Amino acid sequence: MHETSIGTDTTGRAEAADGTANGTTGTGGRRTRWRVVDIVVASVIGVATGLVFLLWNNVGYAWFMAADALTPGLGGIAVGIWLIGGVLGGLIIRKPGAALYVELLAAMVSALIGNQWGIETLYSGLVQGLGAELVFLAFGYRRFGVVVAMLAGAAAGVGAWTLELFTSGNLQKSAEFLALYLGTLVVSGAVLAGLLGWLVVRALAATGALNRFGAGRDVTGRV
């Protein structure tokens, strides 16, 4: 699994032709304007991820509490699944704002259907999605390989850690706790959101479901 083999959809003739045909250009020649299909698919991903969050709210929280009881700060190892929306959105849609949109929409679904955190879920979705978004932005929305996916997941974890300094009172806790919690969030985000998210996208692409996206063409080789 080499990043250069899947990390960009900017060099193929099909992508260039697609951009020309739609009359839009973006960073490095990529289209950055959202199509209707981008909005629809991003929304479907967001809702589906929100339903996954609902399932994880009990399983993940139980894991979080058990790990944190063992060593305070270790609970962050269970958080990664809650960070996966931004990674999926960024990897599939490959447009500015996609990571933020999908993660925030997933958080909205989780909050509206009902969870134990209520409105705070939206704050979490916002900062976690922003963390992932900043990584895709840093790579100019050109690279979407496994390393970038893991960095996006890790950055979403940093976003969660930063928010909880204030919403969970973590700012008052010890440096040891904060360091361990940050480390576990980064690892969990990189693995459970980044690596797992990348694998999920690859699996979806292999079915042909993403053929209208660069993520699908990277896997199937279709133009």
Side-chain angles (χ1 to χ4, degrees):
M1 298 187 299
H2 297 288
E3 180 151 347
T4 53
S5 67
I6 62 164
T8 179
D9 57 45
T10 62
T11 58
R13 292 182 179 179
E15 190 72 10
D18 189 45
T20 302
N22 284 277
T24 58
T25 58
T27 303
R30 275 185 46 80
R31 292 182 303 112
T32 57
R33 184 178 300 171
W34 284 54
R35 304 167 297 173
V36 172
V37 68
D38 296 327
I39 299 170
V40 171
V41 171
S43 299
V44 170
I45 297 168
V47 172
T49 305
L51 297 177
V52 171
F53 287 176
L54 285 172
L55 296 175
W56 194 248
N57 287 344
N58 292 324
V59 176
Y61 188 61
W63 183 13
F64 180 97
M65 294 302 292
D68 218 45
L70 182 63
T71 303
L74 191 60
I77 204 69
V79 173
I81 294 298
W82 286 304
L83 311 176
I84 199 171
V87 175
L88 294 176
L91 291 179
I92 294 173
I93 306 302
R94 301 186 174 186
K95 302 288 175 64
L100 178 59
Y101 175 76
V102 171
E103 184 71 32
L104 183 56
L105 179 57
M108 290 176 63
V109 170
S110 178
L112 288 173
I113 295 178
N115 62 34
Q116 55 267 57
W117 300 287
I119 191 66
E120 289 187 12
T121 307
L122 302 185
Y123 306 149
S124 296
L126 180 63
V127 298
Q128 292 161 12
L130 182 59
E133 186 73 43
L134 289 174
V135 170
F136 292 113
L137 173 62
F139 285 92
Y141 300 100
R142 295 184 185 185
R143 299 180 66 82
F144 303 95
V146 63
V147 172
V148 173
M150 293 180 73
L151 287 173
V158 174
W161 181 87
T162 303
L163 178 67
E164 290 182 30
L165 288 174
F166 308 98
T167 59
S168 299
N170 287 353
L171 195 60
Q172 308 303 319
K173 296 184 179 180
S174 68
E176 290 80 5
F177 169 86
L178 292 175
L180 179 59
Y181 190 44
L182 176 60
T184 55
L185 280 172
V186 167
V187 170
S188 186
V191 176
L192 295 182
L195 178 59
L196 180 59
W198 181 80
L199 291 172
V200 167
V201 171
R202 296 281 290 185
L204 285 173
T207 70
L210 302 178
N211 283 347
R212 296 190 66 181
F213 298 87
R217 292 189 289 270
D218 284 346
V219 174
T220 64
R222 297 183 62 176
V223 297

